[in-house]
Structures are given as C-alpha cells and as structure tokens.
Amino acid sequence: MLKVTIDNIPVEVEDGTTILNAARKIGGNVVPPAMCYYSKLKGSGGKCRTCLVRVAQSSAKDPRPMPKLVASCSTPVQDGMVVQNLTSPEVIEARKGIVEFLLLNHPLDCPVCDQAGECDLQDLSFGYGMEETATEEERREYPVIDIGENIKLHMNRCILCYRCVYVADQLTDQRLHGVLYRGDVSEISTFIQNSVTNEFSGNVIDVCPVGALTDKTFRFKSRVWFLKPMNAHRECGKCSGKVAAWMFGSEIYRITGRKDQYGELETFICNECRFEKKESTDWVMEGPRHIKRQSVISSNHYEEMKEQSIIHPIEGTMEKKE
Amino acid sequence: MKSLTNRSRVVSNKQMNFWERIYFPAILNGMRITFGHLFRKKTTVQYPEVKREYSDIYRGKHVLKRDEEGRERCTACGLCAVACPAEAITMVAAERKPGEEHLYREEKYAIVYEINMLRCIFCGDCEEACPKEAIFLTPELVKSEYSRDKFTYGKDELVEPLDPAKRIDVSKRQTAEVLEFKKNKKYKHNK
C-alpha cells in the first residue's frame, strides 16, 4: 500500500493506481475532471489533458516536485507523493487554457444539441471556462452523418477523446469506425460511409462526453431536463438489462445505460434494449434515479414518494393512509 | 410576556369625558378627512379616452421574434420553459427539413410553442433565459376572453408577422451592452 496526499487529504492506495483513481477513492472536490479517461476502457486517457494536476513532491525518497503538470489519469502514484489539484492556482489556470482549447472548434450549439444538460464539456466550461473566445477564425465544419441506423454523428462537436473507438475495439468483435486523418483535421468516421451495426454499438452514445454521438431515436424529442430518469430492468439475453429509462409522464422517451457519479456506465447495454424497447410495458420500473441537486435535471425530480397522510379535521392528528 | 410587535396596546377601561361622550368632535374630524379627499389628485384615469403612459420595457404579451431574413429564431431549446417559475411554457421540437431554411434559422425549431397566459406571471425570466433572442415581452396586453381555453397562446398568436412593416420593435428592451455586442460582426451570433 502506498501513501499519497491529494489536496492535503491522505489516502492509502495499492501499487499501480493512478493519481486520478486515488483521488476518486477520496471522492468529492479533489477528483480532477476527466473528459477522455474511462475506467472501464483499457488504454483510455491521456488525451484531453483536463485532469492535469501538480505533483508537489514526487515520492518520499525524492521530495522534488515534478517539473511540469502531469495528467493524473495516466500517472501512477508513488509512496509519499504529494499532489495538488484545486489547491494549486497553476492547475486552475492550466485547466482554463485546456477548456479554451477544447472549445476552440466546438460549436456553441447547446440550444440545439441533445446532450445539453448532461454534457461533460458543458459542466467543465461552466466550472473553468472563460466567457469569451479569443479567436475570430471560423470553426471547422463537417456535415452531419448517420453511422448506423440509430446513431447520428456531429463531427463538429467532437473533442477527439477516442472513447468511442475504445468501446468499439474492446466491446465488439469488429470495429467499423475509427479516427481518420491527423492533427486538427482528424475526424471520427466509418470507412467510406460504412454503417456501424454491432449489437453493442449504441454504447458509443453513452461514452461520448459531448454531443458528437447522439441517439437518433431521441433526436430533438425533448430536452433531458424535462424527463425523469428511472431505474428499470428487463430480462435480456444479450446484456444485463439494467438501464435508465427517461420518462415523460408514463411514456419512455429514451433508454440509456446507468451512469455513475463520474459519468461512466455501470454496465454496457445492448442495442435492442436501447433502441427498440420504448414501451413502458417492456420494463420493470425500480424507482427514480439519484440526480445531483446542482444538475438542471433535478428540477421537479423527487427521489422518493412521500407517504400520503390525512389530517383528522377535528383532533388535528395525522393518520397514515392505507 | 414580551410582545412580538410594538403595535400592541394595553386595553384600559377608563371612563370617557364629556366631549368624548357627545361624539360630535369625532364626527367632525371624520368628515374633515372625508371631504379632504375631494381635493386630492385623482388616482384613476378615464380609461378609453385617457391612457396611462407605459414604460418602454413594460412586460405584457410575449412575441417570438424572427431574424432580419424572416426566419424564426426559436430553436426550442427549452431554457425559457425551465426558467419559467409558473411553468406556463411548453414546446415540442422538430427537425428542419431541406428546403425550409428560409423559415427556420437553425436545424431544430419549435413546431408547437404554447404559453398559458393564465399561468404566466409576466416576470420576464423567459426573455432573460433565451440564448437566441427569440422571445421578448411587449407592452401589448393580453386580451380578455370568455373561455379559459383561449388563453393558451400557440405559435399563431406569438410569432411576429412576416411582413417587415408589422414587425415588433424590441430594441428598447435591450441594454446598451447588448446593442453594442450585436454590432460586432466578429461574433458568429451576429452573422
């Protein structure tokens, strides 16, 4: 076990843990934001640079600080390491720059985008971003294309985190899409308008931190904050069948996987559950999902039903209703 | 016990004196106040003939603006509905089809947009929340009706006319900073 201190909070972690995972063990504000790292995908991380932290002391043996900010998702901890995340103004400043770079080509079409309200980039720019853009050049623009019959790709919004490529690589037998070209012209694409047909391909929608890959069956149907996310499950031969059903009244508007507090899926779900089962009779409802109070989705969202009581008119006492 | 306010009075049972018992001075004092009101400035106006002056930024009936080319600005983003404290606004979005570019500004538009004028409290939060400068409140009043159903205004009542002469001017509602920003063609918003 190695002893690490992150933002003055000590924690003991196993050998080989990254700084980000050590911070997640503490939880709360010390966890650096991550746009490309995904704990369930091997090899992910190290691309977006939003999780940069300052290492004030490399280890107990070598107390010198690391010369540059390091990406916490891909740097393993050492014994006696002292890490600064929010306590270092340098990190906050760097993150501001990173957000500016991520938004450099990102179209600010949040009013149109289906991801708005549950978008990691929106949260990040709200937390660290500047109000203004420093550039006046045109943003790069790509046509909107369909990859597969249920997935829409808005390449304009992509931040090239590669998560969807890892999902296709590690979850399915044959990857049909990838990143073409290099540098600032690189783009996610299928090879010559091929369609992605694997039965787990819908998970690329959930792992996408922005609105680049969106559900065509939910396209422009509603805004996420008008819907109520419910835990639901069904018997499914291909996947666990545990999903989040986004309800509007008694209607199911869309099905997604269940995301944990870091926006990562608990289990990957199959396309049949995601795209085809949209009747409320298909699902067994378990109850409302937990939504952070700070989220826009939490408006009018109640996590438990209060037991109804009757006030006795004369004695003023309360009775539990049957 | 200490009283909660300083307005409470101790009740006494003292006998009234002679002047208080004949009530005449109290009646005269009451009449003085009553007739004194006759010579005050009137607080009412004779409505159809005289109209009260409205503020330039009076918050009355809403309008859904079009842009300079006559395209609807609203993209059905739902921010007005989520900002609305009275939950008066509902909308359904639709995707713009090829060939409709002259009607709608963005690829998504509101196919149904309804404001329940009976719920609306005319706070102007929708106007403030709108990222597309689509909804504004105008000094126009909501007309009275005989039936409650008619107060749910749809797009036919809210969207401003296509005819440039009949457009509704909202420039007085925008602050000097906003008008200055709109002049700057550097921002994509203004192109």
Side-chain angles (χ1 to χ4, degrees), chain A residues 111-112 132-133 136 138 141 154 157 219-220 223 225-226 296 299-300, chain B residues 75-79 81-82 87 93 95 106-108 131-132 186 191:
Chain A
V112 174
E132 291 188 346
T133 153
E136 51 182 64
E138 292 288 323
E141 275 183 31
H154 284 256
R157 298 175 188 155
R219 188 169 165 78
F220 300 161
R223 309 295 286 173
W225 56 82
F226 296 131
V296 67
S299 65
N300 285 333
Chain B
T75 66
C77 71
L79 287 181
V82 80
E87 301 193 348
E95 190 168 358
E106 314 251 348
E107 60 180 316
K108 188 173 88 166
K132 294 286 175 189
K186 179 182 135 185
K191 280 173 191 164

Side-chain angles (χ1 to χ4, degrees), chain A residues 21-247:
Chain A
N21 279 329
R24 283 188 180 183
K25 209 173 166 192
I26 301 171
N29 278 339
V30 303
V31 185
M35 300 294 288
C36 65
Y37 174 74
Y38 210 78
S39 60
K40 274 128 200 140
L41 299 173
K42 229 165 78 187
S44 66
K47 294 183 180 64
C48 67
R49 320 305 288 179
T50 44
C51 63
L52 288 182
V53 290
R54 183 168 180 268
V55 177
Q57 181 183 327
S58 315
S59 67
K61 286 177 194 157
D62 180 13
R64 290 176 302 169
M66 284 195 185
K68 283 199 245 177
L69 302 181
V70 295
S72 60
C73 65
S74 48
T75 310
V77 294
Q78 294 174 59
D79 197 28
M81 195 182 243
V82 177
V83 180
Q84 293 176 324
N85 176 23
L86 290 179
T87 47
S88 158
E90 207 182 326
V91 169
I92 306 290
E93 195 58 34
R95 217 164 271 164
K96 246 185 202 165
I98 300 295
V99 175
E100 199 183 342
F101 272 126
L102 286 178
L103 292 176
L104 205 58
N105 272 314
H106 194 81
L108 296 178
D109 62 350
C110 305
V112 174
C113 179
D114 277 331
Q115 188 90 357
E118 52 175 17
C119 175
D120 291 346
L121 190 57
Q122 236 179 2
D123 296 347
L124 193 71
S125 51
F126 187 76
Y128 298 96
M130 297 192 299
E131 281 180 25
E132 291 188 346
T133 153
T135 57
E136 51 182 64
E137 283 78 20
E138 292 288 323
R139 286 149 202 251
R140 53 166 201 184
E141 275 183 31
Y142 299 95
V144 181
I145 56 166
D146 293 341
I147 54 169
E149 49 184 302
N150 290 317
I151 306 168
K152 200 99 184 167
L153 169 63
H154 284 256
M155 194 51 222
N156 290 350
R157 298 175 188 155
C158 179
I159 57 164
L160 292 169
C161 69
Y162 284 65
R163 276 182 186 176
C164 58
V165 180
Y166 286 115
V167 165
D169 243 352
Q170 292 168 25
L171 211 63
T172 64
D173 357 313
Q174 203 191 1
R175 171 154 72 82
L176 291 162
H177 81 292
V179 176
L180 303 184
Y181 314 118
R182 317 186 79 182
D184 69 337
V185 292
S186 50
E187 59 176 293
I188 297 175
S189 185
T190 53
F191 187 62
I192 319 179
Q193 301 280 307
N194 212 334
S195 76
V196 178
T197 49
N198 194 282
E199 60 192 23
F200 277 87
S201 62
N203 289 302
V204 297
I205 297 165
D206 280 350
V207 299
C208 184
V210 293
L213 293 158
T214 47
D215 189 341
K216 256 177 87 180
T217 59
F218 179 63
R219 188 169 165 78
F220 300 161
K221 277 271 180 64
S222 179
R223 309 295 286 173
V224 287
W225 56 82
F226 296 131
L227 306 179
K228 305 276 168 266
M230 305 278 277
N231 278 331
H233 65 86
R234 67 181 270 270
E235 286 293 316
C236 178
K238 295 174 202 153
C239 66
S240 65
K242 288 180 184 166
V243 301
W246 295 72
M247 315 275 293

